[in-house]
Amino acid sequence: MGGISLQDAATVAAYLENCGADAIHVSRAVHIRDEFMWAPTCIHGGFNADFVTEIKRAVQIPVIMVGRFTEPYYAELMVKEGRTDLVAFGRQSIADPELPIKAFRGEMESLTPCIACLQGCVANMFQGNPIECLVNPRTGREAELKAAAVKKKVLVIGGGVGGLYAAYVAALRGHEVTLCEKKVVLGGNMRLAAYPPGKGDIVGMVRNYIVLCQKANVTLLTGIEVTKEYIEVNAPDAVIVATGASPLVLPIPGIRDSSILSGDDVLSGEVQCGQKVLVVGGGMVGSELAAFLGEAEHEVTVIELRDKIGADVISEHRKYLMKDFSDYNITTITGAKVSEIHKDGVSYTLEDGTRNCINGFDSVVLAMGYRNYNPFGEDVDKLAKEVYVIGDAVKARRALDATREAYEAAKNI
């Protein structure tokens, strides 16, 4: 990762001191290179601690450290070791404004961590819109949530982050809430998103949402597929459908061959790839899967319809993703429309009409994105007196949309 040298950092600090600054805010002194401005998920907390230490040694005025801190005990250690005078919690304070109170009380399991997704804070700021937060949809709307006037029996279908947050907020308002998840684990696609290189912090969001639900007395049931008959027997007053999305499978000859693997199954460990892998789809899903496989020392090739790999990945994340591609020698084919899928490769057509075929792969893995999954179809409104369909169950989008809609649904019950 790039950056400024320690000597340059000290020079900047000295310059600010000579200008009469009352304190040096390290985000100004160190974050000169654009990659330091908004550290994404793959950059660890306190990534600039060594720079700050050098600045602290060079000046006689207070130094404030900022660097994607989500862990208050680590921040406290920086101060105790004399490496900084204060630590600023920026995005983490948006993710959980109660951080100081929870840290003081030792309630760290209930601390909602910033996952550095950059979806609702930085993006909205640059667009001139109110700041949002993927992990904390109540950001800027803290006074809205009121206790429910009438306590209801609420059933949440789906245990992804949308369903978990909806269940938590509904219970927080005083409703009796049960959440059912078809799989034996909670977290949905967000849990899988934590597997690619540098994305491990995402699992903290899933863990926290589960803890919040438990503390709010939500009944969490896994391994249960909710049917219309199940709903009739349990008779909830309100239903929130948060069934998420399923992998997109386009009508391409050969795509349903039993030897073709799903990217979700590969990430979850349900299936194993051979050494030489072709990933079909180079958007965010496929490119992160490719990096995951590359890190595991597979020989990876990615084929993508668009003219750029990771075209839907925000720039702050994409630069590190492309570095993974370089580090792991991942081969790419872009501007290619796949016309047929074989057991060991694909046939495709380039934008100029040229037809090609690549084969010789041990595994072909589909990672073409997602489509909404709503098992109730047009009958969804008949499930209960109140029915809300949220997140990817409506349309496959960002996790920010799922948690926002989860909050709105639970707030309105």
Side-chain angles (χ1 to χ4, degrees), residues 53-121:
T53 301
E54 291 303 309
I55 291 174
K56 175 65 178 171
R57 291 173 179 171
V59 301
Q60 301 300 318
I61 58 177
V63 174
I64 305 173
M65 181 178 187
V66 60
R68 206 172 93 70
F69 281 96
T70 59
E71 195 1 285
Y73 293 133
Y74 179 40
E76 184 178 36
L77 180 64
M78 294 295 99
V79 176
K80 284 184 175 180
E81 290 183 346
R83 301 175 67 179
T84 187
D85 296 292
L86 294 169
V87 175
F89 289 89
R91 285 174 288 171
Q92 177 55 44
S93 294
I94 299 172
D96 195 335
E98 296 183 355
L99 178 146
I101 296 174
K102 291 179 178 179
F104 179 76
R105 294 175 178 172
E107 299 173 354
M108 296 305 299
E109 75 283 357
S110 63
L111 179 67
T112 301
C114 168
I115 59 172
C117 66
L118 306 177
Q119 289 186 21
C121 51

Side-chain angles (χ1 to χ4, degrees), residues 282 287 302-304 307-311 318 322 325 332-334:
S287 55
V302 180
I303 186 166
E304 163 62 16
D307 61 2
K308 183 170 77 170
I309 294 294
R318 188 177 182 276
M322 291 300 97
F325 270 57
T332 63
I333 303 172
T334 57

Side-chain angles (χ1 to χ4, degrees), residues 112-246:
T112 301
C114 168
I115 59 172
C117 66
L118 306 177
Q119 289 186 21
C121 51
V122 175
N124 283 22
M125 181 183 68
F126 280 121
Q127 294 170 8
N129 297 324
I131 285 177
E132 296 180 279
C133 181
L134 188 160
V135 300
N136 179 21
R138 296 177 64 188
T139 296
R141 308 170 65 181
E142 291 82 2
E144 288 183 358
L145 207 61
K146 308 292 183 184
V150 178
K151 304 300 188 286
K152 299 177 181 179
K153 187 177 180 181
V154 179
L155 173 65
V156 179
I157 308 173
V161 292
L164 287 167
Y165 196 76
Y168 163 64
V169 174
L172 203 61
R173 297 187 60 227
H175 296 300
E176 178 189 341
V177 185
T178 298
L179 180 147
C180 293
E181 165 56 40
K182 181 169 63 174
K183 295 184 178 180
V184 296
V185 292
L186 297 166
N189 287 337
M190 203 64 172
R191 179 179 62 86
L192 297 180
Y195 283 92
K199 304 295 286 293
D201 281 0
I202 290 177
V203 79
M205 173 189 181
V206 177
R207 175 201 55 77
N208 173 252
Y209 277 13
I210 294 171
V211 170
L212 293 179
C213 283
Q214 291 170 338
K215 287 182 174 292
N217 296 316
V218 174
T219 300
L220 299 172
L221 303 176
T222 58
I224 294 180
E225 183 171 4
V226 175
T227 61
K228 293 178 184 177
E229 293 71 27
Y230 182 94
I231 295 173
E232 289 174 1
V233 170
N234 288 274
D237 300 306
V239 171
I240 298 176
V241 179
T243 44
S246 57

Side-chain angles (χ1 to χ4, degrees), residues 314-349:
I314 61 174
S315 61
E316 290 87 351
H317 288 275
R318 188 177 182 276
K319 65 179 67 175
Y320 295 102
L321 183 58
M322 291 300 97
K323 184 178 184 302
D324 287 339
F325 270 57
S326 175
D327 290 346
Y328 304 136
N329 297 313
I330 297 173
T331 303
T332 63
I333 303 172
T334 57
K337 182 178 181 180
V338 175
S339 56
E340 187 174 357
I341 297 178
H342 316 294
K343 292 182 179 181
D344 67 340
V346 298
S347 297
Y348 63 95
T349 304

Side-chain angles (χ1 to χ4, degrees), residues 194-406:
Y195 283 92
K199 304 295 286 293
D201 281 0
I202 290 177
V203 79
M205 173 189 181
V206 177
R207 175 201 55 77
N208 173 252
Y209 277 13
I210 294 171
V211 170
L212 293 179
C213 283
Q214 291 170 338
K215 287 182 174 292
N217 296 316
V218 174
T219 300
L220 299 172
L221 303 176
T222 58
I224 294 180
E225 183 171 4
V226 175
T227 61
K228 293 178 184 177
E229 293 71 27
Y230 182 94
I231 295 173
E232 289 174 1
V233 170
N234 288 274
D237 300 306
V239 171
I240 298 176
V241 179
T243 44
S246 57
L248 179 63
V249 180
L250 296 175
I252 301 173
I255 199 168
R256 295 192 180 277
D257 188 285
S258 60
S259 65
I260 307 303
L261 306 181
S262 162
D264 282 9
D265 291 342
V266 172
L267 285 172
S268 65
E270 294 180 28
V271 298
Q272 300 295 320
C273 290
Q275 177 59 26
K276 191 175 181 181
V277 184
L278 175 65
V279 176
V280 182
M284 180 175 69
V285 176
S287 55
E288 290 191 346
L289 172 63
F292 170 81
L293 292 169
E295 185 182 48
E297 300 184 348
H298 290 272
E299 299 173 40
V300 185
T301 297
V302 180
I303 186 166
E304 163 62 16
L305 176 64
R306 287 169 289 192
D307 61 2
K308 183 170 77 170
I309 294 294
D312 55 344
V313 180
I314 61 174
S315 61
E316 290 87 351
H317 288 275
R318 188 177 182 276
K319 65 179 67 175
Y320 295 102
L321 183 58
M322 291 300 97
K323 184 178 184 302
D324 287 339
F325 270 57
S326 175
D327 290 346
Y328 304 136
N329 297 313
I330 297 173
T331 303
T332 63
I333 303 172
T334 57
K337 182 178 181 180
V338 175
S339 56
E340 187 174 357
I341 297 178
H342 316 294
K343 292 182 179 181
D344 67 340
V346 298
S347 297
Y348 63 95
T349 304
L350 296 175
E351 294 174 337
D352 62 5
T354 303
R355 296 182 179 180
N356 291 294
C357 178
I358 52 172
N359 50 35
F361 294 93
D362 301 313
S363 301
V364 177
V365 184
L366 299 181
M368 306 170 78
Y370 294 92
R371 66 185 308 166
N372 72 302
Y373 174 68
N374 179 357
F376 305 103
E378 296 179 356
D379 294 332
V380 68
D381 292 334
K382 302 175 183 178
L383 298 179
K385 292 181 180 179
E386 287 184 70
V387 178
Y388 302 88
V389 184
I390 66 170
D392 285 359
V394 178
K395 181 181 179 181
R397 292 160 292 159
R398 303 174 301 171
L400 176 69
D401 300 301
T403 56
R404 182 201 301 122
E405 292 169 13

